[in-house]
């Protein structure tokens, strides 16, 4: 597996679990989808906003993605899915995180996902879905506001 690190080193933020340092996000392209330009744009935007980004590359299995997130002590996983397999892939990643006692890692994603599929995905545990037209600023803002946010 090829894992590329993009460090947006910005010290000082501290998370709900007492973790400090930049938010760590694994950006992944699961399944057979071979188009990763959007994922790379999002990875760059998150990095430029001061987050540490681990980009897994193309054709990752849910198991590889979850393994990477756990090994890298990630705060979140961002999935980019254009293949139409979003219901299966998100569900598998969420289930694997739960099985491996890592359900505290937030899962969000984007791609070609019909509006009708978004509520069931959120009910399964996907924290947010970004559809075509979402700005990089809106994604960065969401991650900053919702990853490592304090539970009330």
């Amino acid at each position: 597996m090829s894992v590329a690190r993009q460090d947006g080193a910005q010290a000082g933020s501290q998370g709900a679990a007492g973790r400090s340092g930049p938010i760590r996000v694994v950006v992944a392209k699961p399944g057979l989808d071979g188009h990763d330009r959007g994922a790379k744009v999002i990875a760059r935007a998150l990095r430029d906003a001061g987050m540490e980004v681990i980009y897994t590359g193309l054709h990752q299995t849910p198991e590889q993605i979850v393994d990477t997130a756990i090994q890298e002590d990630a705060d979140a996983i961002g999935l980019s899915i254009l293949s139409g397999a979003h219901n299966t892939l998100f569900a598998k990643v969420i289930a694997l995180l739960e099985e491996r006692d890592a359900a505290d890692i937030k899962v969000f994603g984007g791609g070609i996902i019909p509006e009708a599929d978004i509520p069931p995905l959120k009910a399964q545990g996907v924290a947010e879905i970004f559809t075509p037209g979402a700005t990089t600023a809106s994604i960065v803002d969401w991650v900053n506001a919702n990853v490592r946010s304090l539970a009330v």
Side-chain angles (χ1 to χ4, degrees):
M1 168 173 51
S2 163
V3 176
R5 286 193 142 180
Q6 298 181 344
D7 292 351
Q10 180 181 48
S13 66
Q14 185 154 342
R19 293 172 51 174
S20 62
I23 293 172
R24 297 171 59 89
V25 181
V26 169
V27 174
K29 289 291 297 180
L32 300 176
D33 183 2
H35 302 281
D36 66 346
R37 183 175 179 91
K40 288 179 176 177
V41 168
I42 297 306
R44 178 78 180 243
L46 295 172
R47 188 212 56 199
D48 289 350
M51 296 174 211
E52 185 174 339
V53 177
I54 301 95
Y55 176 65
T56 63
L58 293 169
H59 311 302
Q60 300 298 297
T61 66
E63 290 81 5
Q64 289 171 314
I65 294 164
V66 169
D67 286 346
T68 299
I70 291 169
Q71 290 169 4
E72 294 290 343
D73 198 23
D75 298 299
I77 297 172
L79 299 178
S80 171
I81 304 174
L82 304 174
S83 65
H86 48 274
N87 290 319
T88 303
L89 293 168
F90 276 112
K92 183 66 173 174
V93 168
I94 299 265
L96 287 167
L97 288 170
E98 289 171 358
E99 286 173 21
R100 297 179 187 182
D101 293 324
D104 60 320
I105 299 174
K106 289 199 178 180
V107 177
F108 67 97
I112 308 298
I113 300 170
E115 290 291 329
D117 290 348
I118 295 173
L121 288 169
K122 287 187 173 184
Q124 291 175 7
V126 178
E128 188 61 87
I129 298 289
F130 297 94
T131 54
T135 65
T136 55
S138 69
I139 296 167
V140 167
D141 289 347
W142 182 88
V143 171
N144 278 323
N146 292 281
V147 174
R148 287 196 194 166
S149 58
L150 293 171
V152 229

